[in-house]
Amino acid sequence: MIDEKEKQDGMKACFDRRVDNKVERGLMRDPLIAYTRAFDDAIDWFKKAIWHDVSEIPEEGEQILYTATEGGEIVDVNVTTTALYDFMPWNEVVRCFNISKWCYIEDLLPNK
């Protein structure tokens, strides 16, 4: 799961990159524009950071959202609670359900 420090570091990197680029080129006339674009960059970073590759096994007992694809197109999206993979190994679950990527539901929800 993405912890708070990882979120802050990723978003700060987006902000720093955006602002530094503008300052270096002498284009920092309106800081609000740089902040807005940095925020957009941070959102894009987060949308990519929450997804896990199927080679990574989710933690047992956690709720995940996964996408299933066929022919490169998403054909299904499901939520499930992960279980022991003693009966069916994770790589078999991925193959049987055509899972292409997954994320923890907890990473999608606002802080409790």
Side-chain angles (χ1 to χ4, degrees):
M1 283 175 257
I2 301 174
D3 63 17
E4 284 304 310
K5 179 159 179 22
E6 190 175 358
K7 285 179 196 173
Q8 290 172 359
D9 289 348
M11 290 182 197
K12 183 178 182 316
C14 291
F15 175 77
D16 290 348
R17 184 174 59 248
R18 175 69 70 174
V19 172
D20 289 347
N21 187 23
K22 294 287 184 190
V23 170
E24 286 172 12
R25 296 185 308 160
L27 301 174
M28 186 66 144
R29 287 179 236 143
D30 186 355
L32 183 57
I33 292 172
Y35 295 138
T36 303
R37 289 181 180 159
F39 184 75
D40 290 342
D41 288 350
I43 291 170
D44 289 341
W45 169 85
F46 182 72
K47 289 191 305 191
K48 291 176 183 126
I50 61 172
W51 291 101
H52 298 265
D53 187 80
V54 293
S55 62
E56 184 178 346
I57 300 173
E59 294 177 28
E60 180 184 335
E62 294 291 334
Q63 286 190 319
I64 63 168
L65 171 74
Y66 68 84
T67 62
T69 57
E70 287 182 16
E73 292 188 31
I74 295 174
V75 293
D76 201 6
V77 177
N78 284 304
V79 173
T80 189
T81 301
T82 57
L84 288 171
Y85 295 108
D86 294 340
F87 302 110
M88 182 181 238
W90 172 248
N91 62 340
E92 288 295 313
V93 173
V94 168
R95 188 182 63 73
C96 286
F97 294 99
N98 296 321
I99 298 174
S100 56
K101 60 185 175 180
W102 62 271
C103 69
Y104 290 107
I105 294 292
E106 186 175 304
D107 286 341
L108 301 173
L109 302 175
N111 291 342
K112 297 175 184 165

